[in-house]
Amino acid sequence: MGNESSNLITQIDFARAGQITPAMRVVAEKEGRSAEFIREGVAAGRIAIPANIHHTSLSPEGVGEGLRTKVNVNLGISGDLADESVEWQKVDTAIELGAEAIMDLSNSGKTQAFRTKLIEKSPAMIGTVPMYDAIGYLEKALIAIKAEDFLDVVRRHAEDGVDFVTIHAGMNRRTIESFKETGRLMNIVSRGGSLIFAWMEATGNENPFYEHYDEVLEILHEHDVTISIGDAMRPGCTYDATDAGQIAELIEIGKLTKRAWDAGVQVMVEGPGHMALNEIEANMRLEKRLCHNAPFYVLGPLVTDIAPGYDHITAAIGGAVAASSGADFLCYVTPAEHLRLPDAQDVRDGLVATKIAAHAADIAKGIPGARDRDNRMSDARRRMDWEEQFGLAIDPIRPRKVFESAPPSNEGTCTMCGKMCAVRTVNTIMDGLVIDLDNE
């Protein structure tokens, strides 16, 4: 399965040849795993290290089995809100709070300048959806775009240094037939998927990313870009979850996963979406089975459809269940989901909620070291060391702000319990002192 030495380009190439790369060593150190554990996972496709050879500022991360659950932040310029300074605020927030990935979903105008600056600056891995960029980059109407044009956009993103690209290659004629025959309440909600569906319906052609999949893989292999096989048929409401269209596409994605590995390209598989709580575990297991244990990257899932303005919470609930059941990578959802482009505060709120979900899942999965920070926090709380508590928090800013907004009259406590603070009382007794609550 290995390539000749001169053709070793991607992480999976090197892993299959028995070679441990610098990126694998960095991931091993971050994860508390041996470098050989990482190499074996990459060689088998269970772990991906998205690391474009042109992304020199990258601090590599591993995504997959036995590793910490990673979190992605979506941002980017839209046609209605094209304020680049706000997008940089979002980037700063993502990096400050430790997001492992940033997806630039810019879809208006010439996006390359923002993308290349982002790649130059970001230690986080960068992902894109080339389909979003096609119309602006090519300056053509959707109906006028040719299959080779789509490949040109993929090539440009790869050359710019993008670490992973979402390619909706699994939505072929067979998938669409299943969708049309069974119907849906919300139809197709994937933006990239809807554009490809429209192009296919207008031209009568097969999905260009499916028809020319081998050429796509050649481009990605040349620059070591990981393919994140997009779920064009993901459910957009809980009613549509686990339906024929979603599963038909997942079957196709499983076949495409093996083809990518055979071409020396790393793979992640994207998943739902909206999904009732009781369906999530089965969907995670199904993906791992059909897609040969490739890393699974999920949006949410959102466990109810009636919480606009709070969908970072519905997604965090689903994300915690998904990751504890086998998902490896969570895409954040913000309070602005379904309503508008998120602002910088939305990004912060969505990222914190998703990091909570990821961390909770890592504890449940028994990831090495996952409880260490929690134990340090508990020790700091017992000692009533507020500064240390703030420093250990997922978001260190908000707890400080909340604490300082209501100063307690009893030093070391907070205004919830004051002099009746259980921790303070027991600490005093354990120190052999007598505490008189009545006279304090």
Side-chain angles (χ1 to χ4, degrees):
M1 294 171 72
N3 294 321
E4 294 297 326
S5 179
S6 60
N7 293 326
L8 298 181
I9 297 174
T10 67
Q11 296 295 321
I12 197 170
D13 285 344
F14 284 103
R16 287 173 169 175
Q19 298 187 33
I20 294 172
T21 65
M24 293 176 202
R25 294 190 188 281
V26 170
V27 171
E29 184 175 352
K30 288 182 177 182
E31 299 287 343
R33 297 286 194 177
S34 70
E36 180 59 19
F37 176 90
I38 302 300
R39 187 202 66 76
E40 288 181 354
V42 173
R46 297 188 305 270
I47 294 173
I49 304 177
N52 189 309
I53 59 177
H54 308 300
H55 189 177
T56 56
S57 63
L58 177 70
S59 179
E61 297 284 356
V63 180
E65 187 176 297
L67 308 183
R68 290 178 299 106
T69 305
K70 305 307 185 296
V71 174
N72 170 71
V73 165
N74 288 341
L75 48 82
I77 296 164
S78 76
D80 288 327
L81 290 172
D83 189 338
E84 190 172 312
S85 66
V86 173
E87 299 312 306
W88 284 115
Q89 291 176 29
K90 299 176 189 179
V91 171
D92 290 340
T93 297
I95 294 173
E96 171 203 339
L97 290 174
E100 288 87 5
I102 297 172
M103 287 199 78
D104 175 15
L105 305 186
S106 297
N107 58 38
S108 178
K110 295 298 185 183
T111 62
Q112 187 183 15
F114 178 76
R115 182 170 61 250
T116 53
K117 280 190 228 173
L118 178 61
I119 293 165
E120 181 181 346
K121 171 179 179 175
S122 175
M125 52 187 165
I126 302 300
T128 60
V129 186
M131 185 68 200
Y132 292 0
D133 193 29
I135 295 173
Y137 173 76
L138 297 167
E139 296 183 328
K140 292 181 180 181
L142 180 64
I143 188 67
I145 297 176
K146 306 297 183 186
E148 54 268 27
D149 294 330
F150 289 121
L151 298 185
D152 285 343
V153 181
V154 174
R155 184 176 293 105
R156 175 50 63 90
H157 283 224
E159 290 171 348
D160 286 343
V162 168
D163 300 297
F164 64 98
V165 289
T166 295
I167 302 290
H168 298 91
M171 188 181 68
N172 55 24
R173 287 291 176 194
R174 289 187 294 274
T175 304
I176 289 174
E177 184 179 351
S178 293
F179 157 63
K180 287 182 174 179
E181 286 181 354
T182 57
R184 271 187 165 182
L185 183 59
M186 276 291 293
N187 290 324
I188 296 173
V189 300
S190 161
R191 180 165 41 180
S194 68
L195 292 171
I196 294 171
F197 175 76
W199 186 88
M200 292 171 68
E201 292 294 292
T203 64
N205 295 329
E206 179 58 278
N207 178 347
F209 297 110
Y210 177 78
E211 184 175 7
H212 300 279
Y213 190 61
D214 290 336
E215 292 98 312
V216 171
L217 296 177
E218 288 176 8
I219 295 168
L220 302 186
H221 183 268
E222 182 181 354
H223 305 277
D224 194 5
V225 179
T226 298
I227 186 169
S228 188
I229 307 180
D231 54 335
M233 297 301 299
R234 71 172 179 266
C237 62
T238 56
Y239 183 87
D240 292 337
T242 325
D243 70 351
Q246 179 195 334
I247 302 306
E249 181 183 43
L250 191 61
I251 292 169
E252 298 297 330
I253 290 174
K255 301 172 187 175
L256 296 173
T257 296
K258 279 197 166 182
R259 287 174 60 185
W261 286 339
D262 289 344
V265 173
Q266 299 183 99
V267 177
M268 298 187 294
V269 173
E270 297 187 14
H274 291 237
M275 184 166 289
L277 202 63
N278 63 308
E279 295 182 52
I280 295 174
E281 181 179 0
N283 269 263
M284 301 306 106
R285 294 183 183 280
L286 187 62
E287 182 278 341
K288 290 290 184 176
R289 175 67 179 87
L290 293 178
C291 299
H292 322 291
N293 293 310
F296 200 19
Y297 175 27
V298 299
L299 177 67
L302 282 70
V303 295
T304 181
D305 303 317
I306 60 170
Y310 300 91
D311 276 328
H312 59 312
I313 297 174
T314 65
I317 293 168
V321 176
S324 64
S325 302
D328 308 289
F329 193 10
L330 301 180
C331 183
Y332 88 153
V333 173
T334 78
E337 184 78 6
H338 301 111
L339 302 172
R340 62 164 168 79
L341 190 74
D343 62 21
Q345 186 60 49
D346 293 326
V347 168
R348 189 175 200 93
D349 293 343
L351 176 52
V352 169
T354 308
K355 285 185 72 68
I356 292 169
H359 183 67
D362 288 347
I363 292 174
K365 287 191 286 192
I367 298 298
R371 287 184 182 268
D372 291 354
R373 190 167 165 187
D374 296 78
N375 293 341
R376 293 199 303 274
M377 175 66 89
S378 299
D379 182 63
R381 281 179 173 154
R382 178 185 57 79
R383 293 182 284 103
M384 305 183 80
D385 187 328
W386 294 99
E387 286 299 320
E388 188 172 346
Q389 291 177 58
F390 300 148
L392 288 167
I394 286 177
D395 178 1
I397 294 177
R398 179 168 171 77
R400 180 187 296 278
K401 186 183 295 184
V402 172
F403 176 77
E404 293 178 350
S405 69
S409 57
N410 291 273
E411 185 179 356
T413 67
C414 75
T415 54
M416 172 64 81
C417 298
K419 65 181 182 180
M420 295 179 67
C421 172
V423 175
R424 177 174 174 268
T425 298
V426 176
N427 282 349
T428 302
I429 294 171
M430 296 298 286
D431 288 341
L433 303 176
V434 176
I435 186 165
D436 186 354
L437 295 177
D438 292 331
N439 295 321
E440 287 201 350

